[in-house]
Amino acid sequence: MDNGAERTYSFGVDLLPQPAVFGVAMRKHLDEYGDNHEIVLRLSAEIAHNLEQLKVAVAYVRRQAMLDAQLELDNGAEVGRLAGVGRVRSHELLNRAVDERMHNVSLKDVVPDPEVDPL
């Protein structure tokens, strides 16, 4: 990780590479299509859309994990430190997580199914 922090959890494989590594691989892949701008732009749009949806999914999971930690530790400041956010931001994220939980918001509500709502 760039900030010198030790990686504490792994899914067994790196789900997302570092941005520079991903960018180089993406550019190399898109260069294979040469001057076919339609395919390059369509693939670029699909990749960008998928990355945006990943960000939304990760943010939701993070908020819910913060709420679980808050309920266990009963210390919002500590939860914020663990999540790498400040006190005010931690409070905002925890409030949003509580609201989501009270309204039974699930990951499916946050990230639509691509089969139902395609790009």
Side-chain angles (χ1 to χ4, degrees):
M1 301 182 132
D2 292 337
N3 62 3
E6 184 177 322
R7 185 176 297 196
T8 57
Y9 186 79
S10 174
F11 287 97
V13 296
D14 287 333
L15 291 178
L16 292 173
Q18 294 294 321
V21 173
F22 178 81
V24 168
M26 181 180 161
R27 183 66 207 181
K28 183 178 179 183
H29 178 71
L30 294 177
D31 282 347
E32 293 175 7
Y33 294 102
D35 292 334
N36 192 337
H37 302 296
E38 181 182 342
I39 290 176
V40 170
L41 293 173
R42 189 168 4 107
L43 287 174
S44 296
E46 186 175 341
I47 290 168
H49 177 75
N50 287 345
L51 289 173
E52 290 169 8
Q53 293 301 305
L54 283 171
K55 184 177 177 182
V56 169
V58 168
Y60 170 82
V61 170
R62 180 185 188 201
R63 286 190 302 274
Q64 294 303 312
M66 287 177 69
L67 180 56
D68 291 339
Q70 164 67 23
L71 294 172
E72 184 176 320
L73 301 174
D74 196 30
N75 185 336
E78 179 64 18
V79 170
R81 281 191 289 278
L82 291 172
V85 297
R87 184 175 52 94
V88 173
R89 183 69 179 141
S90 176
H91 184 70
E92 292 170 351
L93 293 172
L94 286 167
N95 283 341
R96 184 165 175 192
V98 167
D99 189 55
E100 289 168 340
R101 203 160 289 179
M102 283 177 36
H103 291 92
N104 294 321
V105 175
S106 71
L107 187 57
K108 288 182 180 181
D109 299 321
V110 176
V111 181
D113 184 356
E115 300 296 323
V116 175
D117 189 21
L119 178 64

